[in-house]
Coordinates of all heavy atoms in Angstrom, one line a residue:
G214 N 120.8 103.8 149.3 CA 119.4 103.7 149.4 C 118.8 103.7 150.8 O 117.6 103.7 150.9
N215 N 119.6 103.7 151.8 CA 119.1 103.8 153.2 C 118.6 105.2 153.4 O 119.1 106.2 153.0 CB 120.3 103.5 154.2 CG 120.7 102.1 154.2 OD1 120.0 101.2 153.8 ND2 122.0 101.9 154.7
T216 N 117.5 105.3 154.2 CA 116.8 106.5 154.4 C 116.8 106.8 156.0 O 116.9 105.9 156.8 CB 115.3 106.4 154.0 OG1 114.7 105.2 154.6 CG2 115.3 106.3 152.5
F217 N 116.8 108.1 156.3 CA 116.8 108.7 157.6 C 115.8 109.9 157.6 O 115.8 110.7 156.7 CB 118.2 109.1 158.0 CG 119.2 108.1 157.9 CD1 119.8 107.7 156.7 CD2 119.5 107.3 159.1 CE1 120.8 106.7 156.6 CE2 120.4 106.3 159.0 CZ 121.1 106.0 157.8
Y218 N 115.0 109.9 158.7 CA 114.0 110.9 158.8 C 114.1 111.7 160.1 O 114.4 111.2 161.2 CB 112.6 110.2 158.7 CG 112.4 109.4 157.5 CD1 112.6 108.1 157.4 CD2 112.0 110.1 156.4 CE1 112.4 107.3 156.3 CE2 111.7 109.3 155.2 CZ 112.0 108.0 155.2 OH 111.8 107.2 154.0
N219 N 113.7 113.0 160.0 CA 113.4 113.8 161.2 C 112.3 113.1 162.0 O 111.2 112.9 161.5 CB 113.0 115.2 160.8 CG 112.9 116.1 161.9 OD1 112.5 115.8 163.1 ND2 113.2 117.4 161.7
P220 N 112.6 112.8 163.3 CA 111.6 112.1 164.1 C 110.2 112.8 164.1 O 109.2 112.1 164.2 CB 112.2 112.0 165.4 CG 113.7 112.1 165.2 CD 113.9 113.0 164.1
S221 N 110.2 114.1 164.0 CA 108.9 114.9 164.1 C 108.1 114.7 162.9 O 106.9 114.9 162.9 CB 109.2 116.3 164.3 OG 109.7 117.0 163.1
L222 N 108.7 114.2 161.8 CA 108.0 113.9 160.5 C 108.0 112.5 160.0 O 107.3 112.2 159.1 CB 108.6 114.8 159.4 CG 108.6 116.3 159.7 CD1 109.5 117.0 158.6 CD2 107.2 116.9 159.5
K223 N 108.6 111.6 160.7 CA 108.9 110.3 160.3 C 107.6 109.5 159.9 O 107.5 108.8 158.9 CB 109.7 109.6 161.3 CG 110.0 108.1 160.9 CD 110.8 107.4 162.0 CE 111.1 106.0 161.6 NZ 111.9 105.9 160.4
S224 N 106.6 109.7 160.7 CA 105.3 108.9 160.6 C 104.6 109.2 159.3 O 103.8 108.4 158.9 CB 104.4 109.2 161.8 OG 103.9 110.5 161.8
R225 N 104.8 110.4 158.7 CA 104.1 110.7 157.5 C 105.1 111.0 156.3 O 104.6 111.7 155.3 CB 103.1 111.8 157.7 CG 103.7 113.1 158.2 CD 102.6 114.0 158.7 NE 103.0 115.3 159.2 CZ 102.9 116.4 158.4 NH1 102.4 116.4 157.2 NH2 103.5 117.5 158.9
T226 N 106.3 110.6 156.4 CA 107.3 111.0 155.4 C 107.9 109.7 154.7 O 108.1 108.7 155.5 CB 108.5 111.8 156.0 OG1 107.9 112.9 156.6 CG2 109.5 112.2 154.9
D227 N 108.0 109.7 153.5 CA 108.7 108.7 152.7 C 109.7 109.3 151.7 O 109.4 110.3 151.1 CB 107.7 107.8 152.0 CG 107.0 106.8 152.9 OD1 107.7 106.0 153.6 OD2 105.8 107.0 153.1
L228 N 110.8 108.7 151.6 CA 111.8 109.2 150.6 C 112.2 107.9 149.8 O 112.5 106.9 150.3 CB 113.1 109.7 151.3 CG 114.0 110.6 150.6 CD1 113.3 111.8 150.1 CD2 115.1 111.1 151.6
S229 N 112.2 108.2 148.5 CA 112.5 107.1 147.5 C 113.4 107.7 146.4 O 113.6 108.9 146.3 CB 111.2 106.5 146.9 OG 110.5 107.4 146.2
R230 N 113.9 106.8 145.5 CA 114.7 107.3 144.4 C 114.4 106.5 143.2 O 114.0 105.3 143.2 CB 116.2 107.3 144.8 CG 116.7 105.8 145.0 CD 118.2 105.8 145.4 NE 118.7 104.5 145.5 CZ 120.0 104.2 145.8 NH1 120.9 105.2 146.0 NH2 120.3 103.0 146.0
D231 N 114.8 107.0 142.1 CA 114.8 106.4 140.8 C 116.2 106.6 140.2 O 116.5 107.6 139.6 CB 113.7 107.0 139.8 CG 113.6 106.3 138.6 OD1 114.5 105.6 138.1 OD2 112.5 106.4 137.9
T232 N 117.0 105.6 140.3 CA 118.4 105.7 139.9 C 118.5 105.8 138.4 O 119.5 106.5 137.9 CB 119.3 104.6 140.4 OG1 118.7 103.3 139.9 CG2 119.3 104.5 141.9
S233 N 117.6 105.3 137.6 CA 117.7 105.4 136.2 C 117.4 106.9 135.7 O 117.9 107.2 134.7 CB 116.7 104.5 135.5 OG 115.3 104.9 135.7
K234 N 116.7 107.6 136.5 CA 116.5 109.0 136.2 C 117.3 110.0 137.0 O 117.3 111.2 136.8 CB 115.0 109.4 136.4 CG 114.1 108.6 135.5 CD 112.6 109.0 135.8 CE 111.6 108.3 134.8 NZ 110.2 108.6 135.1
N235 N 118.1 109.4 137.9 CA 118.9 110.2 138.9 C 118.0 111.2 139.6 O 118.4 112.4 139.7 CB 120.0 110.9 138.1 CG 121.3 111.0 138.9 OD1 121.7 110.1 139.5 ND2 122.0 112.1 138.9
Q236 N 117.0 110.7 140.2 CA 116.0 111.5 140.9 C 115.7 110.9 142.3 O 115.8 109.7 142.4 CB 114.7 111.7 140.1 CG 114.8 112.4 138.8 CD 113.4 112.3 138.1 OE1 112.6 111.4 138.2 NE2 113.2 113.4 137.2
F237 N 115.4 111.7 143.2 CA 114.8 111.2 144.4 C 113.6 112.0 144.8 O 113.5 113.2 144.5 CB 115.8 111.2 145.6 CG 116.4 112.5 146.0 CD1 116.0 113.2 147.1 CD2 117.5 113.0 145.2 CE1 116.6 114.4 147.5 CE2 118.1 114.3 145.6 CZ 117.6 114.9 146.7
T238 N 112.6 111.4 145.5 CA 111.3 111.9 145.7 C 110.9 111.9 147.1 O 111.1 110.9 147.8 CB 110.3 111.2 144.8 OG1 110.6 111.3 143.4 CG2 108.8 111.7 145.1
L239 N 110.4 113.0 147.6 CA 109.8 113.2 148.9 C 108.3 113.1 148.9 O 107.7 113.6 148.0 CB 110.2 114.5 149.5 CG 109.5 114.9 150.8 CD1 110.2 114.1 152.0 CD2 109.6 116.4 151.1
Q240 N 107.7 112.2 149.7 CA 106.3 112.2 149.9 C 106.0 112.6 151.3 O 106.5 112.0 152.3 CB 105.7 110.8 149.6 CG 105.7 110.6 148.1 CD 104.8 109.4 147.7 OE1 104.8 108.4 148.4 NE2 104.2 109.5 146.6
L241 N 105.1 113.5 151.6 CA 104.6 114.0 152.8 C 103.1 113.8 152.8 O 102.4 114.5 152.1 CB 105.1 115.4 153.1 CG 104.7 116.0 154.5 CD1 105.5 115.3 155.6 CD2 105.0 117.5 154.5
R242 N 102.6 112.9 153.7 CA 101.2 112.6 153.8 C 100.5 113.4 154.7 O 101.0 114.1 155.6 CB 101.1 111.1 154.2 CG 101.6 110.1 153.2 CD 101.4 108.7 153.7 NE 102.1 108.4 155.0 CZ 103.3 108.0 155.0 NH1 104.1 107.8 154.0 NH2 103.9 107.8 156.3

């Protein structure tokens, strides 16, 4: 569940997951 981001995008990027659906989701603001 730990996340790591490209520093150039970190301020507007979020990564999350739904383990019950075996999915992970990117949000770019």
Side-chain angles (χ1 to χ4, degrees):
N215 291 337
T216 54
F217 301 85
Y218 300 97
N219 186 325
S221 70
L222 300 168
K223 181 178 177 63
S224 66
R225 58 192 184 101
T226 304
D227 286 295
L228 201 55
S229 61
R230 66 182 182 176
D231 184 337
T232 58
S233 70
K234 297 180 179 179
N235 218 40
Q236 296 176 331
F237 60 102
T238 296
L239 173 75
Q240 291 194 318
L241 183 65
R242 299 181 296 273

